[in-house]
Amino acid sequence: MEDYKFLFKVVLVGNAGVGKTCLVRRFTQGLFPPGQGATIGVDFMIKTVEVEGEKIKLQIWDTAGQERFRSITQSYYRSAHALILVYDISCQPTFDCLPDWLREIQEYANSKVLKILVGNKTDRDDREIPTQIGEEFAKQHDMYFLETSAKEAENVERLFYEIAAELIEQARSKEPISQHSRSTADSIGLSSLGSKANYLSQSGCCSSLSSHST
Amino acid sequence: MLDLRSVIGDEDISSAEGIERACATITQKEKEVNERLEAILSRQCQIESKLSGISRSMSTLHSVENDTKSLADRISQTAALAESVSAKVRRLDEARSRVSECQQRVHDLIDLQLCSQGVMTAIREEDYEKGAAHVSRYLSMDQNLLQRTADDVTGSVTSVSKALQTLEEATTKMREIISQKFDEAVRKDDLASVERFFKIFPLLGMHKDGIAKFSSYICQKLEVKAQKELRTSMDVAKAEKRMAVAFADTLTSLLENFARVFKVNQPIIESCYGTGYLLNMYEILQVECDKEVRNLILEFNKNRQIAKRVAQINEYMKSDGGVTLGHFRKPSGGSVDKLNPKDIDSLIGEITIMHSRAELYFRFMKRRVVADLEGSSLEDEDKKAKLSRSENIITKCDLSRQMQELLGTYLLLERYFMEESVLKAIALDTFEQGQQCSSMVDDVFFIIRKSIRRSTSTQSMNGICAVINNAASCFEGDFINALKGPLKNGYPSGYIDLAQAYNAIQSSIQQGKLQTSDAEQARTNFIVQLNNADMSTEFIETLWATMSEEIRGAFANMTQRESEILESCMSGLKGVKDSLKAVVDFGMQQLKSSAIKPRLNPWVDQFLTYNHRLTEEELAAYEAGETFAQFLIVQIDGLLNSFKSVLSPRNYDALVSILATEVTSRLERAIKKSTFNRLGGLVLDQEVRALGTYLTGATSWSVRDKMARLTQIATLLNLEKVSELSEYWNPNENNDMPAWRITPNEVRSILILREDFRIEDIKRVKI
Ligand SMILES: Nc1nc2c(ncn2[C@@H]2O[C@H](COP(=O)(O)OP(=O)(O)OP(=O)(O)O)[C@@H](O)[C@H]2O)c(=O)[nH]1
Ligand SMILES: [Mg+2]
């Protein structure tokens, strides 16, 4: 056995060019890649983080935003523990597509999946989507909300750490049940996603996540 | 001088004896001193001879010193000499290189003259190879140096500048002529001339133009060929009975033509142009290739009705949304006519071939271009830039984009094929008497293996992984639901007793047909699905192993990243096993609550109707008739037998295990409600043993553990006297006896069940 207690799959989705790959690279490698080409199909990175003294392996799936890769990326939704839906705060069309993405998620993902809405590129001064608009959209659709900048490393660590912490909490609340029927770290994670009602009731989370972002 | 005191020590010299003793001591000392002196004197001669030796050496040393000095002088003189010689040599070298440079310039000048005279003649005589050779010679000269030479020698010899001028003009002219001639050859489609002039371009320093012109000539030819092949593709396919793969064949041929041209011309380019120019050719060819593939795909889409089928599938999948159990999904609105998965089977196959051809084409081109660049003498920086440009062309070219779209279509069709075929297999599930599983297990695994296997022929890791993911979804969705469906309602317990069953059969016979009742069918269905789920846990393991091996075999050169992605997706497939096990567990629990408990409990509870305080006569009478254990075992045996032949071995074992747990805990409860005397305890102990023996024989694993508590309770109730307990009491495990599963408090409450045991004795017992 490797030395981690939980394994979680995190999948990033959203229009092409919103900065998914940059967010993942920033988090896993600590850099902002210059001349980043569009992602082909899917890519994946692993990072082990420690939350509350617990080692957690995050398997981060970076999907291609371009339409023609949709049938590839859709196949990764089902096994995701968390879905990060990304838009570009300086690009209205990427925000306008969010309902389409939600439909995809609804169709393919586990209904209990943890969903996070991320407005990326806060470093840009040509903002088109005010923070409040993003936040409201997230609230309406039962998602966490956070604004980030992969370029300035703003809120990127926080995004993934909060996800890890939330997933652990959900896993813990289910752990006793899952323990005897499932043994691998992987399936503990999968089977232990909290019920929707469970995290919906934590209405404070939404604001707690967004309070830092300006 | 010797200090007297130190010699005589603290001898008392005031007495005569003291003085004598001191005297003796002194004499002794004197003797010693004399001996030492003699020893020293004896070495004098030796030392003197050594000293004389040394003084002789001294004079020799002096002469050595002089010699050394003169040697040092001579060395420094030599060094100075060498220095001056090497300076001269250096100057000489310099002079010689200047001379050779000079010679080179003279040669150049001579050649210049020759070239300038020859080039015009050559042009006039249309001997372009010769002319180009002259130009090439001229171009190989250091142009700056030439210009300087020309300047240096102005005045005396003007022919140098004139020659230069002539050559410059000739170069320009040659370039014009060759370009013209090449174009003319292309117009006339005169392949020999095209090749002739293609080889001349590099001599005129027109590498890039040459490659560009030649490549576009090739493109023209390839275009014509591709269009013709596309036009005739259907006829050819019909003639060769390859209609199903007509477009795959056409694409194969198209890409092969491009690759062949590339391969055929590579040696010519490398010998006439040198290395590093293949990329230029590839870049131009790729644009043409993109165009031809685009035409082909347009035709393919039209002919194979891709857009319509994709729309049909999309609409159909959306209209359905959820999953229907064990039935085909029905089109909801009625406007959508459903696509038969069989009808797209061959189309899916054709697409995988098309995709794999493009992958192979890219690999071929990349290998050649990269090898050419790696072997070139380009600067590192330049090489790196060109390598990344070649990578860029491949990832961004239209062919790549087209293939990505094609792969998307493939994945949609494959998913539809897989899901629909699985639903069909479930709907057409048949069970043959005598089998443990029904047809759908084999069928579903066959379908999914087929899809995964087919995905490997796309040669795309992205495609394979997506199909594996979809396969896992399909298992976890439709398949698991189909298995679980019949289990949800529980096992129909059916007839209460044999009489009822007999009547039911009688009545069916009277009606002239032996109909299987609904309950009967439901029972069979329940058992079969339970077996199916159990069998599937094995099948999924096998599927995982064989597919892993096949894919790794087909992709020998996977990158680390690709390998990890594949690994992760495959583990998703393996994870289906957990879900299947959960289905089996669920089914077993259902079986327990609907078939085991309701029947088992009344039988075990019969225990309460028996007398456990027996006299000798009563015991004899009891043993002469059917004992409780015999009754219970017959009943249990009947129950187990009804399952033994129908359940899979693993499921049957699980059932026996569940039953053993139920029997023992129920019986324990009944025992605790009864009272015993000595003989009653004896009988109980025998009966528990009989039960244990029976259960052990019923299954392949040990029931000893499950029987432990009950056996121990029987042992307690079978004691002669309370005090005997200490012989049996063994709270810890050892080789002979299992550890006691009963706490001291429980022991006491069980002992109380023996009416002949006194409370005080029980209280007193040390445990
Ligand atoms: N200013 C700014 N630019 C960013 C940021 N994140 C990404 N970008 C830029 O946005 C462009 C696209 O980034 P990617 O990370 O490749 O986008 P993607 O979402 O992965 O795109 P696809 O792979 O095609 O789906 C790149 O040019 C990045 O440099 C950010 O936080 N700030
Ligand atoms: Mg990307």
Side-chain angles (χ1 to χ4, degrees):
Chain A
M1 273 308 260
E2 285 175 70
D3 63 336
Y4 58 87
K5 177 118 188 255
F6 296 100
L7 181 139
F8 294 124
K9 290 191 189 175
V10 179
V11 178
L12 284 95
V13 297
N15 278 24
V18 296
K20 298 180 291 297
T21 304
C22 289
L23 282 168
V24 176
R25 294 286 206 96
R26 167 61 77 192
F27 177 62
T28 57
Q29 301 172 331
L31 50 84
F32 183 71
Q36 178 62 48
T39 305
I40 310 275
V42 292
D43 198 352
F44 112 145
M45 303 256 184
I46 285 183
K47 182 158 169 166
T48 306
V49 297
E50 214 176 301
V51 180
E52 297 162 26
E54 211 82 86
K55 279 236 171 74
I56 294 138
K57 189 162 155 179
L58 291 181
Q59 205 180 66
I60 304 168
W61 293 85
D62 173 24
T63 67
Q66 284 167 317
E67 181 76 34
R68 62 178 179 280
F69 296 112
R70 227 29 73 80
S71 1
I72 292 173
T73 58
Q74 280 163 355
S75 77
Y76 287 87
Y77 284 54
R78 189 186 55 90
S79 60
H81 299 117
L83 276 170
I84 304 179
L85 176 50
V86 189
Y87 67 93
D88 175 354
I89 58 134
S90 65
C91 179
Q92 182 76 43
T94 67
F95 185 82
D96 296 340
C97 280
L98 292 180
D100 295 340
W101 286 106
L102 285 175
R103 225 166 290 130
E104 288 250 307
I105 293 171
Q106 170 80 17
E107 188 172 353
Y108 296 103
N110 187 321
S111 59
K112 294 161 195 160
V113 71
L114 180 66
K115 285 173 284 180
I116 305 95
L117 181 65
V118 168
N120 188 38
K121 308 197 187 180
T122 49
D123 57 284
R124 291 184 65 125
D125 44 22
D126 53 348
R127 181 191 275 274
E128 289 182 2
I129 317 292
T131 303
Q132 208 198 336
I133 298 287
E135 206 174 323
E136 264 164 28
F137 186 89
K139 223 175 237 170
Q140 260 171 32
H141 296 92
D142 314 329
M143 291 189 279
Y144 286 119
F145 179 71
L146 198 63
E147 283 191 345
T148 60
S149 163
K151 191 175 178 193
E152 303 295 331
E154 174 98 13
N155 272 343
V156 178
E157 290 269 309
R158 190 156 157 237
L159 169 66
F160 289 97
Y161 274 86
E162 301 249 359
I163 288 171
E166 180 62 28
L167 288 173
I168 292 182
E169 187 148 315
Q170 294 185 3
R172 285 229 180 91
S173 65
K174 280 281 182 93
E175 208 168 2
I177 304 161
S178 57
Q179 226 160 27
H180 58 154
S181 64
R182 305 194 163 205
S183 51
T184 63
D186 192 350
S187 46
I188 285 178
L190 184 62
S191 62
S192 46
L193 280 172
S195 69
K196 195 164 197 169
N198 184 20
Y199 72 82
L200 272 183
S201 63
Q202 303 166 315
S203 53
C205 299
C206 227
S207 42
S208 92
L209 266 169
S210 58
S211 62
H212 264 251
S213 52
T214 33
Chain B
M1 294 300 102
L2 283 169
D3 180 4
L4 209 53
R5 255 280 152 229
S6 77
V7 176
I8 57 173
D10 29 338
E11 207 60 73
D12 179 11
I13 44 172
S14 56
S15 73
E17 283 157 51
I19 291 171
E20 245 169 64
R21 265 200 308 272
C23 223
T25 317
I26 291 167
T27 319
Q28 174 68 26
K29 273 281 164 202
E30 188 187 359
K31 212 174 128 207
E32 278 172 25
V33 168
N34 276 337
E35 273 167 20
R36 258 174 28 216
L37 263 175
E38 250 162 61
I40 289 167
L41 281 175
S42 75
R43 270 158 53 199
Q44 181 194 8
C45 188
Q46 235 179 324
I47 289 168
E48 269 172 5
S49 81
K50 271 192 187 155
L51 273 174
S52 78
I54 288 171
S55 54
R56 250 181 291 125
S57 309
M58 280 304 279
S59 65
T60 323
L61 267 179
H62 275 299
S63 78
V64 169
E65 191 191 0
N66 288 337
D67 286 355
T68 314
K69 267 190 197 142
S70 74
L71 182 65
D73 284 348
R74 224 169 286 167
I75 288 174
S76 54
Q77 274 167 22
T78 313
L81 203 66
E83 190 109 335
S84 79
V85 168
S86 81
K88 275 180 198 149
V89 169
R90 241 180 285 131
R91 275 205 297 283
L92 214 62
D93 264 351
E94 216 171 286
R96 202 181 61 187
S97 77
R98 284 208 189 130
V99 168
S100 88
E101 214 174 275
C102 205
Q103 267 178 330
Q104 178 66 41
R105 276 169 87 170
V106 171
H107 271 303
D108 281 359
L109 286 179
I110 294 169
D111 280 358
L112 199 63
Q113 289 298 343
L114 283 176
C115 287
S116 71
Q117 284 157 13
V119 72
M120 283 312 178
T121 327
I123 291 175
R124 234 177 289 119
E125 288 169 1
E126 298 195 349
D127 187 348
Y128 300 116
E129 278 77 10
K130 198 169 182 189
H134 286 312
V135 173
S136 175
R137 174 73 190 86
Y138 159 66
L139 291 175
S140 74
M141 296 175 199
D142 186 331
Q143 301 293 315
N144 290 331
L145 217 56
L146 272 184
Q147 202 51 57
R148 245 191 304 141
T149 314
D151 293 345
D152 289 348
V153 296
T154 37
S156 55
V157 194
T158 51
S159 64
V160 173
S161 355
K162 216 171 129 200
L164 264 180
Q165 205 185 339
T166 317
L167 272 167
E168 239 161 79
E169 281 169 16
T171 305
T172 319
K173 194 154 183 194
M174 277 293 285
R175 284 179 175 162
E176 265 169 33
I177 293 172
I178 297 300
S179 292
Q180 255 172 32
K181 288 278 174 190
F182 185 91
D183 291 346
E184 204 172 295
V186 167
R187 254 198 315 283
K188 288 190 192 145
D189 199 7
D190 173 358
L191 185 62
S193 302
V194 165
E195 277 183 3
R196 177 184 170 198
F197 295 114
F198 175 53
K199 287 176 185 165
I200 293 176
F201 283 116
L203 296 175
L204 305 175
M206 298 173 78
H207 296 76
K208 284 191 181 152
D209 303 70
I211 298 272
K213 277 182 176 296
F214 184 61
S215 301
S216 56
Y217 167 69
I218 293 175
C219 286
Q220 271 183 30
K221 305 238 101 187
L222 286 168
E223 180 182 11
V224 173
K225 200 166 182 178
Q227 284 177 356
K228 188 172 147 244
E229 285 185 359
L230 184 57
R231 263 199 315 276
T232 59
S233 62
M234 280 306 161
D235 298 335
V236 173
K238 207 174 276 168
E240 293 179 357
K241 297 205 165 46
R242 292 177 61 85
M243 282 304 278
V245 285
F247 288 97
D249 283 351
T250 313
L251 180 67
T252 306
S253 165
L254 192 161
L255 294 175
E256 272 173 3
N257 290 341
F258 276 84
R260 193 178 310 114
V261 160
F262 208 68
K263 195 166 137 189
V264 165
N265 289 294
Q266 186 177 2
I268 304 173
I269 292 177
E270 281 180 352
S271 72
C272 300
Y273 285 70
T275 50
Y277 286 98
L278 230 45
L279 175 62
N280 299 58
M281 172 146 153
Y282 173 57
E283 203 166 5
I284 296 165
L285 286 189
Q286 189 55 54
V287 174
E288 182 62 31
C289 179
D290 288 347
K291 203 177 89 194
E292 298 314 325
V293 172
R294 199 157 43 233
N295 288 336
L296 186 143
I297 296 284
L298 273 175
E299 196 57 36
F300 165 79
N301 285 341
K302 202 165 77 193
N303 187 291
R304 302 294 198 220
Q305 301 183 300
I306 298 297
K308 187 180 151 212
R309 285 169 156 169
V310 165
Q312 231 173 329
I313 291 173
N314 277 332
E315 197 178 334
Y316 170 64
M317 281 184 165
K318 266 191 198 99
S319 73
D320 177 72
V323 183
T324 44
L325 294 179
H327 299 285
F328 288 109
R329 279 189 268 217
K330 289 175 219 86
S332 61
S335 60
V336 204
D337 24 320
K338 211 179 101 194
L339 213 52
N340 187 344
K342 260 203 193 122
D343 294 344
I344 53 170
D345 197 18
S346 65
L347 173 60
I348 297 173
E350 186 180 32
I351 296 180
T352 62
I353 298 173
M354 291 170 79
H355 194 273
S356 72
R357 294 298 185 255
E359 288 280 333
L360 294 177
Y361 163 83
F362 281 131
R363 264 176 239 172
F364 174 88
M365 290 299 195
K366 189 173 166 178
R367 204 169 50 234
R368 301 231 158 203
V369 170
V370 168
D372 179 59
L373 283 174
E374 296 286 4
S376 75
S377 52
L378 290 169
E379 298 285 321
D380 277 355
E381 196 90 333
D382 205 12
K383 200 183 275 181
K384 240 169 83 187
K386 286 200 164 149
L387 281 171
S388 87
R389 199 168 99 217
S390 70
E391 189 65 48
N392 235 332
I393 295 170
I394 290 177
T395 49
K396 297 222 172 104
C397 72
D398 200 52
L399 176 59
S400 277
R401 208 184 53 74
Q402 297 272 1
M403 287 306 128
Q404 287 158 1
E405 255 160 27
L406 197 65
L407 189 68
T409 307
Y410 160 72
L411 288 172
L412 181 75
L413 296 179
E414 188 74 278
R415 198 182 106 206
Y416 179 80
F417 174 85
M418 185 162 66
E419 288 179 0
E420 281 304 301
S421 307
V422 163
L423 284 173
K424 192 168 164 185
I426 292 169
L428 301 179
D429 189 26
T430 49
F431 170 70
E432 273 176 40
Q433 215 66 44
Q435 302 279 309
Q436 282 173 344
C437 296
S438 59
S439 65
M440 78 179 215
V441 179
D442 278 339
D443 291 351
V444 166
F445 276 88
F446 176 83
I447 292 158
I448 290 186
R449 195 182 57 220
K450 173 178 172 166
S451 284
I452 297 178
R453 203 169 262 167
R454 183 157 55 191
S455 75
T456 58
S457 57
T458 60
Q459 297 285 331
S460 154
M461 196 44 83
N462 263 322
I464 294 169
C465 287
V467 171
I468 293 169
N469 292 341
N470 289 339
S473 298
C474 189
F475 275 125
E476 299 264 7
D478 296 341
F479 185 60
I480 296 257
N481 283 336
L483 293 174
K484 210 167 174 181
L487 305 180
K488 277 190 183 143
N489 302 325
Y491 185 76
S493 40
Y495 312 117
I496 304 303
D497 54 33
L498 274 170
Q500 222 177 325
Y502 179 78
N503 288 340
I505 291 170
Q506 283 303 311
S507 68
S508 346
I509 289 171
Q510 274 158 20
Q511 282 167 13
K513 52 189 171 179
L514 196 96
Q515 253 182 345
T516 47
S517 66
D518 284 352
E520 191 67 38
Q521 209 149 23
R523 260 195 293 279
T524 305
N525 208 8
F526 184 100
I527 296 295
V528 166
Q529 296 309 348
L530 197 56
N531 289 339
N532 283 347
D534 176 49
M535 184 57 90
S536 299
T537 60
E538 237 169 73
F539 280 15
I540 201 89
E541 186 85 33
T542 312
L543 181 71
W544 174 82
T546 50
M547 289 300 110
S548 293
E549 199 182 305
E550 280 183 24
I551 296 168
R552 286 186 190 279
F555 287 77
N557 304 320
M558 253 188 281
T559 63
Q560 172 76 15
R561 182 77 58 88
E562 281 176 330
S563 171
E564 282 171 5
I565 293 182
L566 176 67
E567 188 81 11
S568 175
C569 293
M570 284 305 272
S571 78
L573 189 63
K574 206 179 181 185
V576 173
K577 193 173 167 181
D578 291 330
S579 309
L580 289 165
K581 277 199 182 132
V583 171
V584 174
D585 287 347
F586 173 75
M588 280 296 163
Q589 289 308 314
Q590 292 286 80
L591 204 55
K592 176 175 128 188
S593 58
S594 51
I596 306 292
K597 273 186 156 180
R599 312 191 67 180
L600 195 64
N601 291 354
W603 298 334
V604 176
D605 291 347
Q606 287 283 310
F607 184 80
L608 297 168
T609 66
Y610 285 79
N611 176 15
H612 304 289
R613 286 166 295 181
L614 301 162
T615 62
E616 292 283 351
E617 297 91 73
E618 281 170 330
L619 174 63
Y622 175 71
E623 282 179 341
E626 192 193 39
T627 64
F628 168 71
Q630 283 165 346
F631 159 76
L632 184 60
I633 287 168
V634 167
Q635 300 301 333
I636 291 177
D637 199 45
L639 179 64
L640 285 181
N641 269 335
S642 68
F643 287 107
K644 182 159 187 162
S645 59
V646 294
L647 278 179
S648 68
R650 235 193 325 260
N651 280 343
Y652 179 70
D653 274 350
L655 178 75
V656 176
S657 164
I658 285 174
L659 183 130
T661 310
E662 279 305 303
V663 168
T664 52
S665 70
R666 189 79 184 180
L667 188 53
E668 186 181 325
R669 237 183 296 163
I671 290 169
K672 284 178 178 164
K673 285 187 202 153
S674 313
T675 46
F676 301 82
N677 66 0
R678 173 72 193 87
L679 290 180
L682 184 73
V683 168
L684 176 69
D685 195 49
Q686 284 168 359
E687 296 196 308
V688 167
R689 272 172 217 276
L691 185 63
T693 309
Y694 168 73
L695 287 176
T696 304
T699 171
S700 55
W701 47 262
S702 166
V703 287
R704 186 173 135 160
D705 210 46
K706 291 212 184 298
M707 291 294 294
R709 260 182 81 88
L710 200 60
T711 309
Q712 287 162 1
I713 289 170
T715 305
L716 289 175
L717 292 172
N718 189 26
L719 291 177
E720 195 89 42
K721 306 192 288 280
V722 176
S723 60
E724 234 181 29
L725 176 61
S726 58
E727 282 170 40
Y728 296 97
W729 180 249
N730 172 43
N732 297 311
E733 192 98 30
N734 68 30
N735 289 341
D736 308 330
M737 264 189 284
W740 281 79
R741 303 291 170 82
I742 304 172
T743 64
N745 276 339
E746 282 180 309
V747 170
R748 290 198 176 86
S749 64
I750 287 162
L751 289 174
I752 289 171
L753 302 177
R754 272 283 289 273
E755 56 174 19
D756 51 331
F757 287 171
R758 289 192 323 196
I759 297 284
E760 305 89 87
D761 293 343
I762 293 172
K763 273 187 185 157
R764 233 179 296 131
V765 73
K766 277 202 208 85
I767 42 175

